Amino acid sequence: MAAFSVLIPARLASTRLPNKPLADIGGKPMVVRVAERAAQSGASQVVVAADDASIVQACEAHGVRALLTRVDHASGSDRLAEACELLGLDGDALVVNVQGDEPLIDPALVAACAQLLEQRTECAVATAAHALLSEEEFRNPNVVKVVLDQAGRALYFSRACVPWWRDGARDGLAGLPAAGTPALRHIGLYAYRAGYLRRFPGLAASPLEQLESLEQLRVLWHGDRIAVFEAASAPAPGVDTAEDLARVRALFAA
């Protein structure tokens, strides 16, 4: 197993759920729960990259390492790029970006992304996906789809229905692609080499990225490759809303 670090970006402001990283789940802040799950992946270190001192203090109170980063970062990737600098990570060091609102993240999935990137030396990034079985989700623009090449590398990410089964649609069949060519739902988990992560914020945003509102398209636009791990099933959902938080709290209470 390759040595890797887990970095968790945590931003205090949230439109739908204010102070989300500090939301209590079973007596601990959500970001601490995320860090505890990530630590089970076998990572050599787990570090929260926060934009507010209150997050750092909450993490340290529970034995989780945290760094205070700038408030004005445009994205989590930018925040983690600063964290790589603060930690002095070597350019070849493997870093997995685990979102701070994933308290049920599967540790094995985190490790799988890191291991995949170590193996795929021609790729700059590794991520994950799983087969879509619901036509409703396939047609949902909030569900991001990814199409792969024969080597398991991303060709494109989209909110649209891709790949589109033309003949099936013509014949009135289900919108999901035919058997053998599954639609894949992207899982927002990323592994990088620290050198690439530091370079990423300096790459110009691509028109496709801005059109689809998908930051990962910047990687493909600039000619870099993304390896995709195909998970056997969908991961547990993250926390975006108060309803999501209530559901996760109930799971921890049980």
Side-chain angles (χ1 to χ4, degrees), residues 218-230:
R218 190 186 314 179
V219 179
L220 302 181
W221 177 264
H222 287 279
D224 294 307
R225 289 173 168 171
I226 300 176
V228 180
F229 175 79
E230 292 191 51

Side-chain angles (χ1 to χ4, degrees), residues 117 119-125 151 153 193 223-227:
L117 185 59
Q119 295 168 348
R120 303 300 295 270
T121 56
E122 84 282 12
C123 294
V125 180
R153 299 174 302 214
R193 291 179 182 85
D224 294 307
R225 289 173 168 171
I226 300 176

Side-chain angles (χ1 to χ4, degrees), residues 20-205:
K20 183 162 65 169
L22 302 179
D24 181 86
I25 298 178
K28 294 181 181 180
M30 177 160 56
V31 70
V32 170
R33 292 294 188 187
V34 176
E36 289 175 342
R37 292 283 290 183
Q40 296 174 30
S41 68
S44 56
Q45 63 177 340
V46 176
V47 183
V48 173
D51 74 341
D52 192 273
S54 63
I55 301 175
V56 175
Q57 293 164 3
C59 288
E60 291 177 344
H62 289 87
V64 173
R65 187 178 181 188
L67 301 172
L68 184 61
T69 57
R70 299 201 327 259
V71 177
D72 60 347
H73 285 303
S75 71
S77 300
D78 295 82
R79 191 170 308 286
L80 296 195
E82 182 187 354
C84 286
E85 293 288 352
L86 293 173
L87 292 168
L89 293 180
D90 181 81
D92 291 328
L94 299 180
V95 174
V96 181
N97 176 355
V98 174
Q99 298 302 313
D101 57 5
E102 298 280 352
L104 299 174
I105 187 73
D106 181 1
L109 188 59
V110 175
C113 279
Q115 186 172 8
L116 179 61
L117 185 59
E118 182 198 30
Q119 295 168 348
R120 303 300 295 270
T121 56
E122 84 282 12
C123 294
V125 180
T127 190
H130 69 87
L132 264 174
L133 303 177
S134 162
E135 184 177 352
E136 180 181 1
E137 288 193 328
F138 183 57
R139 294 181 180 276
N140 185 347
N142 294 317
V143 173
V144 178
K145 277 69 71 173
V146 58
V147 178
L148 309 184
D149 67 10
Q150 64 177 345
R153 299 174 302 214
L155 287 170
Y156 191 64
F157 297 85
S158 183
R159 298 182 183 278
C161 301
V162 291
W164 181 250
W165 187 17
R166 186 202 64 174
D167 292 346
R170 180 196 63 196
D171 297 337
L173 302 176
L176 284 168
T181 312
L184 296 174
R185 178 178 189 163
H186 178 231
I187 300 170
L189 179 71
Y190 299 94
Y192 307 85
R193 291 179 182 85
Y196 184 80
L197 183 53
R198 284 195 289 262
R199 184 165 67 88
F200 181 77
L203 298 176

